[in-house]
Amino acid sequence: MSLAIRVIPCLDVNDGRVVKGVNFKNLRDAGDPVELAAEYYRQGADELTFLDVTASSSHRQTTYDMVRRTAEQLFIPLTVGGGVRSTDDVDTLLRCGADKVSVNTAAINNPQLISEVAQRFGSQVLVLSVDARRVQGDVHTPSGFEVTTMGGHHSTGIDAIEWVKKAEDLGAGEVLLNSMDADGTKDGFDLEMIREVRREVSLPLIASGGAGKVEDFPPAIEAGADAVLAASVFHFGTLTIMDVKRELARHGYPVRGLEADEATPRA
Protein backbone atom coordinates (compact mmCIF):
# COMPACT_ATOMS: atom_id res chain seq x y z
CA MET A 1 0.00 0.00 0.00
CA SER A 2 1.73 3.16 -1.21
CA LEU A 3 -0.85 5.87 -0.53
CA ALA A 4 -0.83 7.32 2.98
CA ILE A 5 -3.78 6.42 5.17
CA ARG A 6 -5.86 9.50 5.92
CA VAL A 7 -7.05 10.34 9.42
CA ILE A 8 -10.14 12.56 9.27
CA PRO A 9 -11.91 14.29 12.16
CA CYS A 10 -15.64 14.85 11.58
CA LEU A 11 -17.54 17.89 12.78
CA ASP A 12 -21.27 17.16 13.11
CA VAL A 13 -22.78 20.63 13.34
CA ASN A 14 -26.21 21.57 14.69
CA ASP A 15 -27.27 25.20 15.13
CA GLY A 16 -23.71 26.40 14.78
CA ARG A 17 -22.17 24.03 17.33
CA VAL A 18 -20.37 20.71 17.02
CA VAL A 19 -22.45 17.93 18.60
CA LYS A 20 -22.01 14.21 19.16
CA GLY A 21 -24.22 11.45 20.52
CA VAL A 22 -24.71 7.70 20.28
CA ASN A 23 -26.53 6.32 17.23
CA PHE A 24 -27.37 9.97 16.39
CA LYS A 25 -29.31 10.39 19.65
CA ASN A 26 -28.70 12.27 22.92
CA LEU A 27 -26.53 14.88 21.26
CA ARG A 28 -24.17 16.85 23.47
CA ASP A 29 -22.18 19.97 22.74
CA ALA A 30 -18.57 19.45 21.67
CA GLY A 31 -17.46 22.98 20.87
CA ASP A 32 -17.14 25.66 18.20
CA PRO A 33 -16.61 24.20 14.70
CA VAL A 34 -14.17 26.85 13.53
CA GLU A 35 -12.01 26.53 16.64
CA LEU A 36 -12.06 22.73 16.46
CA ALA A 37 -11.18 22.78 12.76
CA ALA A 38 -8.15 24.95 13.48
CA GLU A 39 -7.07 22.68 16.32
CA TYR A 40 -7.34 19.52 14.21
CA TYR A 41 -5.32 21.17 11.45
CA ARG A 42 -2.62 21.96 14.02
CA GLN A 43 -2.75 18.35 15.25
CA GLY A 44 -2.00 17.02 11.77
CA ALA A 45 -5.38 15.96 10.38
CA ASP A 46 -5.14 14.93 6.73
CA GLU A 47 -8.63 16.16 5.90
CA LEU A 48 -11.67 17.53 7.69
CA THR A 49 -15.33 16.60 7.23
CA PHE A 50 -18.05 19.07 8.16
CA LEU A 51 -21.63 17.75 8.29
CA ASP A 52 -24.69 19.90 8.98
CA VAL A 53 -26.83 17.33 10.78
CA THR A 54 -30.02 19.42 10.64
CA ALA A 55 -29.53 21.05 7.23
CA SER A 56 -32.78 22.97 7.32
CA SER A 57 -33.12 25.84 4.90
CA SER A 58 -33.47 28.30 7.77
CA HIS A 59 -29.91 27.52 8.84
CA ARG A 60 -28.36 27.39 5.37
CA GLN A 61 -26.92 30.92 5.31
CA THR A 62 -25.33 30.40 8.72
CA THR A 63 -23.80 27.18 7.42
CA TYR A 64 -22.33 28.89 4.37
CA ASP A 65 -20.71 31.51 6.58
CA MET A 66 -19.39 28.80 8.89
CA VAL A 67 -17.93 26.88 5.95
CA ARG A 68 -16.14 30.04 4.80
CA ARG A 69 -14.69 30.67 8.26
CA THR A 70 -13.70 27.03 8.65
CA ALA A 71 -12.01 26.92 5.23
CA GLU A 72 -9.97 29.99 6.17
CA GLN A 73 -8.40 28.00 9.03
CA LEU A 74 -7.33 25.05 6.89
CA PHE A 75 -4.76 24.10 4.28
CA ILE A 76 -6.05 20.53 4.00
CA PRO A 77 -9.04 19.19 2.04
CA LEU A 78 -12.43 20.12 3.48
CA THR A 79 -15.52 18.01 2.76
CA VAL A 80 -18.91 19.58 3.51
CA GLY A 81 -22.28 17.82 3.59
CA GLY A 82 -25.83 18.29 4.76
CA GLY A 83 -28.75 19.69 2.80
CA VAL A 84 -27.06 19.40 -0.60
CA ARG A 85 -29.88 18.97 -3.10
CA SER A 86 -28.58 20.30 -6.41
CA THR A 87 -25.48 21.08 -8.43
CA ASP A 88 -26.02 24.74 -7.56
CA ASP A 89 -25.70 23.84 -3.86
CA VAL A 90 -22.43 22.10 -4.67
CA ASP A 91 -21.24 25.15 -6.59
CA THR A 92 -22.02 27.43 -3.66
CA LEU A 93 -20.16 25.23 -1.17
CA LEU A 94 -17.12 25.01 -3.42
CA ARG A 95 -17.11 28.79 -3.71
CA CYS A 96 -17.28 28.99 0.09
CA GLY A 97 -14.06 26.99 0.35
CA ALA A 98 -15.10 23.33 0.34
CA ASP A 99 -12.89 20.98 -1.66
CA LYS A 100 -15.39 18.11 -1.74
CA VAL A 101 -19.11 17.85 -1.13
CA SER A 102 -20.91 14.98 0.56
CA VAL A 103 -24.38 13.89 -0.57
CA ASN A 104 -26.70 11.43 1.10
CA THR A 105 -30.49 11.79 1.13
CA ALA A 106 -30.69 13.85 -2.07
CA ALA A 107 -28.75 11.18 -3.97
CA ILE A 108 -31.10 8.48 -2.70
CA ASN A 109 -34.10 10.55 -3.81
CA ASN A 110 -32.48 11.40 -7.16
CA PRO A 111 -29.53 9.14 -8.06
CA GLN A 112 -28.90 11.17 -11.23
CA LEU A 113 -27.66 13.96 -8.97
CA ILE A 114 -24.46 11.91 -8.62
CA SER A 115 -23.92 11.96 -12.38
CA GLU A 116 -24.82 15.65 -12.62
CA VAL A 117 -22.29 16.63 -9.95
CA ALA A 118 -19.59 14.39 -11.43
CA GLN A 119 -20.11 15.76 -14.92
CA ARG A 120 -20.14 19.41 -13.84
CA PHE A 121 -17.36 19.39 -11.24
CA GLY A 122 -15.54 16.06 -11.60
CA SER A 123 -15.94 12.83 -9.66
CA GLN A 124 -13.23 13.85 -7.20
CA VAL A 125 -15.61 16.48 -5.78
CA LEU A 126 -18.41 14.07 -4.87
CA VAL A 127 -18.35 11.98 -1.68
CA LEU A 128 -21.26 9.59 -1.28
CA SER A 129 -22.22 9.49 2.39
CA VAL A 130 -23.87 6.19 3.32
CA ASP A 131 -25.55 5.77 6.71
CA ALA A 132 -25.93 1.98 6.79
CA ARG A 133 -27.08 -0.53 9.36
CA ARG A 134 -27.98 -4.15 9.66
CA VAL A 135 -31.54 -4.76 8.52
CA GLN A 136 -34.23 -4.70 11.16
CA GLY A 137 -37.78 -6.03 11.46
CA ASP A 138 -39.43 -6.99 8.20
CA VAL A 139 -36.73 -5.39 6.02
CA HIS A 140 -34.64 -7.82 3.99
CA THR A 141 -31.72 -7.03 1.68
CA PRO A 142 -29.28 -9.35 -0.15
CA SER A 143 -26.29 -8.14 1.87
CA GLY A 144 -28.06 -7.84 5.21
CA PHE A 145 -27.25 -4.11 5.31
CA GLU A 146 -29.59 -1.28 4.38
CA VAL A 147 -29.26 2.44 3.75
CA THR A 148 -30.97 4.81 6.20
CA THR A 149 -31.72 8.52 6.12
CA MET A 150 -32.67 11.16 8.67
CA GLY A 151 -29.79 10.27 10.96
CA GLY A 152 -30.60 6.59 10.88
CA HIS A 153 -34.24 7.09 11.83
CA HIS A 154 -35.72 6.33 8.40
CA SER A 155 -35.41 2.92 6.80
CA THR A 156 -35.12 3.00 3.01
CA GLY A 157 -35.06 -0.75 2.39
CA ILE A 158 -32.23 -0.12 -0.10
CA ASP A 159 -29.38 -2.61 0.00
CA ALA A 160 -26.30 -0.69 1.14
CA ILE A 161 -23.81 -2.65 -0.95
CA GLU A 162 -25.90 -2.42 -4.12
CA TRP A 163 -26.35 1.31 -3.53
CA VAL A 164 -22.61 1.92 -3.32
CA LYS A 165 -22.05 -0.11 -6.50
CA LYS A 166 -24.69 1.95 -8.31
CA ALA A 167 -23.16 5.20 -7.06
CA GLU A 168 -19.75 4.15 -8.35
CA ASP A 169 -21.25 3.51 -11.78
CA LEU A 170 -22.94 6.92 -11.70
CA GLY A 171 -19.68 8.72 -11.00
CA ALA A 172 -19.20 9.05 -7.24
CA GLY A 173 -15.57 9.71 -6.38
CA GLU A 174 -15.43 8.41 -2.82
CA VAL A 175 -17.57 6.69 -0.20
CA LEU A 176 -18.01 7.74 3.42
CA LEU A 177 -19.38 4.57 5.02
CA ASN A 178 -20.91 5.25 8.41
CA SER A 179 -22.17 2.35 10.52
CA MET A 180 -25.32 3.49 12.28
CA ASP A 181 -25.11 0.48 14.59
CA ALA A 182 -21.62 1.44 15.74
CA ASP A 183 -21.96 5.23 15.63
CA GLY A 184 -20.81 6.79 18.89
CA THR A 185 -20.60 3.44 20.70
CA LYS A 186 -16.77 3.36 20.82
CA ASP A 187 -16.95 -0.42 20.33
CA GLY A 188 -14.93 -0.41 17.10
CA PHE A 189 -15.70 -0.10 13.41
CA ASP A 190 -18.11 -2.45 11.65
CA LEU A 191 -15.43 -4.54 9.94
CA GLU A 192 -17.87 -6.86 8.20
CA MET A 193 -19.58 -3.93 6.48
CA ILE A 194 -16.25 -2.45 5.40
CA ARG A 195 -15.16 -5.79 3.93
CA GLU A 196 -18.44 -6.22 2.05
CA VAL A 197 -18.22 -2.78 0.45
CA ARG A 198 -14.53 -3.18 -0.41
CA ARG A 199 -15.23 -6.50 -2.05
CA GLU A 200 -17.66 -4.88 -4.47
CA VAL A 201 -16.24 -1.43 -5.27
CA SER A 202 -12.87 0.12 -6.01
CA LEU A 203 -13.72 3.66 -4.84
CA PRO A 204 -11.68 5.20 -2.01
CA LEU A 205 -13.46 4.18 1.18
CA ILE A 206 -13.67 6.15 4.42
CA ALA A 207 -14.65 4.09 7.48
CA SER A 208 -16.80 5.85 10.06
CA GLY A 209 -18.63 4.93 13.23
CA GLY A 210 -17.45 3.15 16.36
CA ALA A 211 -13.88 4.31 17.05
CA GLY A 212 -13.12 4.27 20.75
CA LYS A 213 -9.40 3.55 21.13
CA VAL A 214 -6.28 3.55 18.96
CA GLU A 215 -6.46 -0.22 18.55
CA ASP A 216 -9.75 0.16 16.65
CA PHE A 217 -8.19 1.93 13.66
CA PRO A 218 -5.74 -0.58 12.08
CA PRO A 219 -8.41 -3.30 11.70
CA ALA A 220 -10.54 -0.89 9.66
CA ILE A 221 -7.65 -0.42 7.23
CA GLU A 222 -7.02 -4.15 7.13
CA ALA A 223 -10.71 -4.65 6.29
CA GLY A 224 -10.33 -2.40 3.25
CA ALA A 225 -10.71 1.25 4.26
CA ASP A 226 -8.44 3.89 2.74
CA ALA A 227 -9.18 6.43 5.47
CA VAL A 228 -10.58 6.48 8.98
CA LEU A 229 -12.97 9.07 10.33
CA ALA A 230 -13.86 9.74 13.94
CA ALA A 231 -15.55 12.40 16.01
CA SER A 232 -16.14 12.00 19.74
CA VAL A 233 -12.74 10.46 20.54
CA PHE A 234 -11.13 13.60 19.13
CA HIS A 235 -13.70 16.15 20.35
CA PHE A 236 -13.57 15.06 23.98
CA GLY A 237 -9.82 14.49 24.17
CA THR A 238 -9.76 10.70 24.35
CA LEU A 239 -7.31 10.56 21.42
CA THR A 240 -5.31 12.93 19.27
CA ILE A 241 -4.74 12.71 15.54
CA MET A 242 -1.13 11.71 16.15
CA ASP A 243 -2.14 8.96 18.58
CA VAL A 244 -4.05 7.34 15.72
CA LYS A 245 -1.26 7.90 13.20
CA ARG A 246 1.34 6.35 15.48
CA GLU A 247 -0.83 3.27 15.92
CA LEU A 248 -1.37 2.94 12.19
CA ALA A 249 2.36 3.34 11.58
CA ARG A 250 3.09 0.72 14.23
CA HIS A 251 1.07 -1.71 12.12
CA GLY A 252 3.03 -0.83 9.00
CA TYR A 253 0.55 1.54 7.36
CA PRO A 254 1.95 4.69 5.71
CA VAL A 255 0.84 7.95 7.31
CA ARG A 256 1.82 11.60 6.91
CA GLY A 257 3.32 13.87 9.51
CA LEU A 258 5.32 11.48 11.70
CA GLU A 259 9.04 11.65 12.31
CA ALA A 260 11.00 8.89 10.58
CA ASP A 261 11.56 6.94 13.78
CA GLU A 262 7.85 7.10 14.68
CA ALA A 263 6.79 5.89 11.24
CA THR A 264 8.95 2.77 11.39
CA PRO A 265 6.94 -0.36 12.31
CA ARG A 266 7.98 -1.96 15.57
CA ALA A 267 9.44 -5.45 15.49
Side-chain angles (χ1 to χ4, degrees), residues 4-8 46 189 214-222 225-228 241-256 258 262-266:
I5 300 301
R6 291 168 290 152
V7 178
I8 307 173
D46 297 301
F189 293 93
V214 291
E215 292 84 1
D216 291 332
F217 292 89
I221 305 304
E222 182 181 358
D226 301 283
V228 284
I241 305 296
M242 284 301 167
D243 288 338
V244 175
K245 289 191 172 187
R246 290 187 189 99
E247 183 69 8
L248 290 170
R250 192 174 72 83
H251 283 77
Y253 296 115
V255 293
R256 300 184 186 93
L258 292 185
E262 291 183 291
T264 301
R266 297 176 190 172

Side-chain angles (χ1 to χ4, degrees), residues 28-96:
R28 59 173 172 152
D29 188 275
D32 177 80
V34 179
E35 292 177 0
L36 280 173
E39 173 59 25
Y40 292 142
Y41 173 65
R42 286 191 293 269
Q43 283 190 23
D46 297 301
E47 297 185 12
L48 188 78
T49 294
F50 178 114
L51 299 178
D52 179 352
V53 296
T54 51
S56 67
S57 58
S58 61
H59 297 127
R60 181 52 57 211
Q61 188 57 47
T62 301
T63 299
Y64 286 153
D65 178 63
M66 196 174 300
V67 171
R68 289 190 191 95
R69 291 187 291 119
T70 301
E72 289 171 357
Q73 303 293 320
L74 305 175
F75 296 94
I76 54 176
L78 172 64
T79 299
V80 180
V84 177
R85 301 177 181 88
S86 68
T87 56
D88 287 342
D89 290 337
V90 174
D91 183 65
T92 300
L93 287 170
L94 295 176
R95 292 177 186 275
C96 287

Side-chain angles (χ1 to χ4, degrees), residues 75-157:
F75 296 94
I76 54 176
L78 172 64
T79 299
V80 180
V84 177
R85 301 177 181 88
S86 68
T87 56
D88 287 342
D89 290 337
V90 174
D91 183 65
T92 300
L93 287 170
L94 295 176
R95 292 177 186 275
C96 287
D99 298 284
K100 295 185 280 189
V101 175
S102 170
V103 296
N104 186 343
T105 303
I108 293 170
N109 294 337
N110 174 26
Q112 288 307 311
L113 177 63
I114 297 172
S115 296
E116 292 168 7
V117 172
Q119 290 167 8
R120 182 171 172 182
F121 304 103
S123 291
Q124 77 284 350
V125 164
L126 192 139
V127 178
L128 180 75
S129 181
V130 181
D131 291 337
R133 69 181 178 194
R134 283 170 169 75
V135 293
Q136 301 177 356
D138 296 330
V139 178
H140 299 283
T141 65
S143 71
F145 297 101
E146 71 160 329
V147 177
T148 68
T149 58
M150 304 297 290
H153 299 298
H154 176 67
S155 168
T156 67

Side-chain angles (χ1 to χ4, degrees), residues 6 8 47 49 79 100-103 114 123-132 147 160-169 171-179 193-194 197-198 200-208 224-229:
R6 291 168 290 152
I8 307 173
E47 297 185 12
T49 294
T79 299
K100 295 185 280 189
V101 175
S102 170
V103 296
I114 297 172
S123 291
Q124 77 284 350
V125 164
L126 192 139
V127 178
L128 180 75
S129 181
V130 181
D131 291 337
V147 177
I161 310 302
E162 292 300 319
W163 171 233
V164 175
K165 289 168 61 179
K166 180 176 181 178
E168 180 176 37
D169 291 340
E174 192 168 22
V175 175
L176 170 54
L177 182 66
N178 185 39
S179 168
M193 185 188 294
I194 296 169
V197 173
R198 173 49 68 221
E200 297 294 336
V201 301
S202 59
L203 290 175
L205 177 60
I206 304 169
S208 171
D226 301 283
V228 284
L229 178 146

